[in-house]
Amino acid sequence: MVLESFQVGTGDVPTVMLHGFLGTGRNLRSLAVAWAQADPRRRILLPDLTGHGASPALPPDADLTTLARDVVDTLDAQGFTGAVDWVGHSLGGRVSLAASLEASERVGSVALLDIAPGPVPLDLSESGYVLDILLKAPPRADSRKDLRASLTGNGLSEALSDWLLMNLAPDGEGVRWRFDRDALQRLHRRVNGEDLWPAVERPVHPPLRCIRGGRSRYVSQESARRLEAGGCPVAVLPDAGHFVHVDGPQAVLAWLMAP
């Protein structure tokens, strides 16, 4: 399945950057632009993952392998051949690890932005909290302002509400959600339970590295030690939360460009 995507940079080092749950490729655009400017060798593809943004809907029983295959199909369709550098935030990082298991010849390296390979506990998942509030919102409204009021009225911050509202599409005189919220809920439950440690702990794997936010709980100390033991160095941004690329964009860029 070919996904909606756009490109940044015109170099000859193929790279794909994958957003997190409920996001779109635009979430990583600023980082991609800064990276391509600092390293003109980069040619970066930023897709909307399956079921997200303007990409096709999720098929029944979609899992991380489904999403990874669709990214590979999109790389092929856009002329990104051979081994590619994968950078993924949260869900995007887990899709990148799944790709390294499913299509190892297409993965040159993996950079994880604040995500670990193990199953994500339900009580840890910030995206689960956001999804619960999203599901309480009406399917459409007369205006963006009305849907925003529904989200903030149920306890979501203004910043997260505005981020979610990037997923609205026109619907007659009003607006509707672009994605299938029920399908995303099923995907969320399924992919959070998947164990990707084999991508790290097998005898041979592509170069891996991880950067975690000091204020985030997604990569525990135990997971960080296990990643290091598997040959995946872990860096820490002490003042960053889960969205490390938003909280510390210059530091994340420097980390991506480090040899």
Side-chain angles (χ1 to χ4, degrees):
M1 183 185 298
V2 177
L3 306 172
E4 179 72 17
S5 65
F6 63 95
Q7 295 183 36
V8 170
T10 57
D12 57 6
V13 179
T15 308
V16 62
M17 299 182 74
L18 304 179
H19 62 82
F21 188 70
L22 299 177
T24 70
R26 288 178 293 168
N27 296 154
L28 293 167
R29 184 182 185 278
S30 294
L31 179 59
V33 168
W35 194 5
Q37 290 174 344
D39 182 1
R41 300 174 306 148
R42 293 283 162 182
R43 179 187 176 204
I44 305 171
L45 185 72
L46 294 102
D48 295 348
L49 291 171
T50 317
H52 292 72
S55 281
L58 287 159
D61 302 324
D63 58 12
L64 291 171
T65 300
T66 307
L67 272 60
R69 286 173 178 160
D70 290 346
V71 174
V72 171
D73 287 348
T74 307
L75 288 168
D76 290 342
Q78 296 300 328
F80 285 66
T81 59
V84 175
D85 292 332
W86 294 58
V87 179
H89 172 245
S90 201
L91 170 63
R94 293 172 67 76
V95 172
S96 300
L97 290 174
S100 76
L101 292 169
E102 175 69 15
S104 59
E105 73 284 357
R106 301 306 307 276
V107 180
S109 67
V110 174
L112 303 172
L113 306 184
D114 201 61
I115 197 66
V120 181
L122 289 177
D123 63 344
L124 171 63
S125 175
E126 295 175 21
S127 55
Y129 165 74
V130 174
L131 181 60
D132 286 343
I133 294 175
L134 176 63
L135 289 166
K136 294 175 184 175
R140 72 168 306 281
D142 291 336
S143 70
R144 182 181 183 277
K145 182 179 178 181
D146 290 343
L147 276 176
R148 189 178 193 270
S150 171
L151 297 174
T152 57
N154 280 310
L156 204 60
S157 71
E158 292 184 358
L160 276 175
S161 297
D162 288 338
W163 176 67
L164 280 178
L165 293 173
M166 294 169 67
N167 293 289
L168 292 180
D171 182 33
E173 296 296 316
V175 292
R176 61 172 172 79
W177 296 108
R178 191 188 302 271
F179 44 42
D180 182 335
R181 293 175 294 167
D182 292 331
L184 285 169
Q185 182 182 42
R186 292 191 293 272
L187 177 74
H188 187 259
R189 290 172 177 166
R190 190 174 298 116
V191 300
N192 273 8
E194 293 189 51
D195 184 356
L196 294 156
W197 280 110
V200 177
E201 296 178 336
R202 55 187 167 153
V204 179
H205 57 66
L208 307 171
R209 52 185 169 150
C210 174
I211 190 165
R212 59 190 286 242
R215 295 188 292 105
S216 172
R217 298 186 298 149
Y218 273 81
V219 183
S220 66
Q221 293 284 11
E222 179 184 356
S223 292
R225 286 192 293 269
R226 190 169 171 183
L227 282 165
E228 295 265 8
C232 175
V234 179
V236 183
L237 291 186
D239 297 327
H242 181 49
F243 290 84
V244 287
H245 54 290
V246 175
D247 294 338
Q250 294 301 320
V252 172
L253 176 60
W255 174 77
L256 285 171
M257 294 184 63

